[in-house]
Amino acid sequence: MIRPALIAAALLAATPAIAQERSAQRYQLDLSVVQNGVEVVSTRTWILEDAPASASASVGGTTYAFEADLFAVQGDGDDAQMQLEARLSRNDARIAAPRLTFLRGDKAAVRVGDGSGDLLSMTITPIE
């Protein structure tokens, strides 16, 4: 009779720890390439923590490929910071590789240019 009570007490004691584990949050990732002030390509994909994402688009014989990885910043006590590492290629030639660090659950954006005049705009938004 005491044994089932001990098991139940152990399960109840473990419940807060289990409840504190957070599931991976989904984010929407928007990417656009602007040439001379004109958006030439725009794509959207979704990404999960610790899972890669990719997208591609072709415009006028030019193919843009996008790959990204999202992960929690190590050493940040409660994993409050996330880092997005992205790679953008034009016709298989890498044109940008931005990194973006932001707070978990927040929206963030970055813009980077390359030598040809292309401007890469990337926005990550949490999906509730």
Side-chain angles (χ1 to χ4, degrees):
M1 193 71 158
I2 293 175
R3 207 175 273 168
L6 288 175
I7 292 170
L11 287 174
L12 287 174
T15 301
I18 293 170
Q20 289 175 0
E21 289 182 25
R22 112 181 87 213
S23 61
Q25 184 170 6
R26 293 183 333 160
Y27 288 85
Q28 177 178 301
L29 196 50
D30 294 296
L31 172 79
S32 62
V33 177
V34 177
Q35 293 176 338
N36 301 320
V38 177
E39 185 177 90
V40 293
V41 67
S42 178
T43 186
R44 174 177 289 165
T45 190
W46 291 268
I47 189 168
L48 284 172
E49 181 179 345
D50 296 326
S54 63
S56 64
S58 294
V59 173
T62 302
T63 300
Y64 293 91
F66 173 73
E67 297 174 347
D69 294 293
L70 177 66
F71 52 90
V73 174
Q74 296 300 312
D76 182 27
D78 61 355
D79 294 329
Q81 290 187 344
M82 302 294 292
Q83 185 164 43
L84 177 70
E85 292 183 351
R87 295 157 305 282
L88 178 69
S89 300
R90 181 188 326 110
N91 294 332
D92 295 325
R94 182 172 285 184
I95 61 172
R99 286 186 177 174
L100 179 61
T101 302
F102 61 98
L103 294 176
R104 180 185 297 276
D106 280 0
K107 180 178 180 176
V110 65
R111 288 185 172 189
V112 294
D114 75 347
S116 74
D118 283 358
L119 176 66
L120 165 69
S121 176
M122 186 171 60
T123 304
I124 187 163
T125 308
I127 298 173
E128 303 281 331

